[in-house]
Amino acid sequence: GGGDQEEEEEDDDDLVQTDRLDGAQVVPEMGADTAEPAMRGGGGGARPSGVVVGIVRRAWRPYACVLDPDSAMGSQYLAEPLDTRIPKINLTTRQAEMLRGKLILVSVDLWDAGHRFPTGHYVRTLGAVGDKEAESEAILIEHEVNCAPFSPQVQACLPAKGWTIPEAEIARRLDLRDGGPSGKVLVCSVDPPGCVDIDDALHAYELAPGKYEVGVHIADVGHFIKGGTAIDAEAAARGTTVYLVNKRIDMVPKRLGEDLCSLHEKVDRLPFSCIWE
């Protein structure tokens, strides 16, 4: 629907607040659009400023919303995004009763200059408001977390099943198994019981009265992830493993995070260690 709705309440905050930069009015646009900046130098120690001269690409994406049933004008409704920085979205639907109390995904189609709100369309229903799975999915969508399975190209970067540490690799490293050279190194994990991706551990023992050796050990992920490979690019794009109450979205394939680079008890593993006295 191209019509626009008005409300009696005060205007919501703009996604990008209108501001005056060096005498030029910047028009707020929805989403983090890719723009062509025109830089102006800031003489005399002033902060550099710029002027938006054009939008190269819209950064609109689907938004997790709740339908406002009280905003009805015929078959037009306002969908209210969970992200309060995003304005309400005009939506045309004949399924309002089915969508009441649901978390829905809405995509923006256009925003006419003369309309208060953008216009969009219904994409799909995530689930009931308050439902754990639906709320979790909405969080992932709003933060643009990549939940897609790892591609065959990424999986192909992992060693073959049955991989063991090569003898040549063991020979070039400090061997801390069975207590290490001193026989006193007892490495323990700092992760809680039940953790499957044990990526850090430590040890400490007394060398002499008041003198200790302390070691911190981090799983050597770099041994398996080489620069410029598909798995390196994928891990860089994901940035981090995301933990929710009921699930985990991995930065690297599970076999790497939960097996090859997990410092399990009584299993030979490759760490990166820092040891000091």
Side-chain angles (χ1 to χ4, degrees):
D4 203 21
Q5 301 188 44
E6 298 292 335
E7 292 182 322
E8 295 181 359
E9 62 188 49
E10 295 183 359
D11 290 352
D12 298 318
D13 291 337
D14 291 330
L15 175 63
V16 180
Q17 186 176 359
T18 302
D19 196 6
R20 186 170 295 277
L21 298 177
D22 197 15
Q25 189 74 20
V26 177
V27 180
E29 297 287 351
M30 187 171 183
D33 291 332
T34 302
E36 293 180 338
M39 298 304 297
R40 296 184 179 180
R47 293 178 61 184
S49 61
V51 180
V52 177
V53 297
I55 303 300
V56 177
R57 177 178 58 87
R58 296 288 184 184
W60 290 342
R61 60 170 178 81
Y63 299 95
C65 303
V66 176
L67 196 70
D68 180 5
D70 296 328
S71 64
M73 291 183 62
S75 59
Q76 290 191 8
Y77 295 82
L78 288 175
E80 186 169 353
L82 300 187
D83 188 341
T84 57
R85 299 171 301 173
I86 308 299
K88 296 177 182 179
I89 304 169
N90 278 315
L91 179 68
T92 300
T93 179
R94 300 186 185 280
Q95 306 177 58
E97 283 305 311
M98 293 178 59
L99 300 180
R100 184 187 293 266
K102 303 288 186 182
L103 281 171
I104 61 174
L105 209 56
V106 176
S107 203
V108 173
D109 298 320
L110 57 93
W111 193 348
D112 290 335
H115 290 175
R116 181 180 178 187
F117 300 117
T119 298
H121 66 272
Y122 166 83
V123 177
R124 63 184 176 92
T125 299
L126 303 180
V129 172
D131 176 74
K132 182 172 61 176
E133 292 296 331
E135 296 284 355
S136 295
E137 186 175 2
I139 290 172
L140 297 174
I141 290 170
E142 285 307 302
H143 291 85
E144 300 184 72
V145 176
N146 183 3
C147 304
F150 290 98
S151 68
Q153 292 80 5
V154 170
Q155 298 286 0
C157 295
L158 301 179
K161 290 185 178 181
W163 177 89
T164 58
I165 303 174
E167 289 298 324
E169 188 65 29
I170 294 176
R172 63 181 289 271
R173 291 177 178 251
L174 175 64
D175 193 343
L176 295 178
R177 297 174 296 179
D178 302 318
S182 67
K184 297 181 180 180
V185 175
L186 179 61
V187 179
C188 60
S189 168
V190 296
D191 289 297
C195 181
V196 292
D197 53 338
I198 305 170
D199 54 5
D200 36 37
L202 58 83
H203 83 264
Y205 70 92
E206 190 175 33
L207 296 169
K211 185 177 181 181
Y212 293 84
E213 176 182 290
V214 177
V216 173
H217 314 280
I218 308 297
D220 190 0
V221 183
H223 180 80
F224 300 95
I225 299 182
K226 305 303 181 183
T229 59
I231 193 171
D232 177 49
E234 184 69 19
R238 297 196 180 212
T240 185
T241 295
V242 178
Y243 293 87
L244 298 181
V245 178
N246 59 332
K247 66 175 67 177
R248 185 182 82 226
I249 294 85
D250 295 304
M251 181 178 70
V252 296
K254 286 185 180 295
R255 182 163 171 251
L256 198 60
E258 297 183 5
D259 182 12
L260 299 175
C261 290
S262 188
L263 306 179
H264 292 292
E265 181 183 9
K266 297 180 180 179
V267 179
D268 293 349
R269 288 292 179 261
L270 298 175
F272 185 89
S273 300
C274 179
I275 301 173
W276 69 95
E277 295 181 2

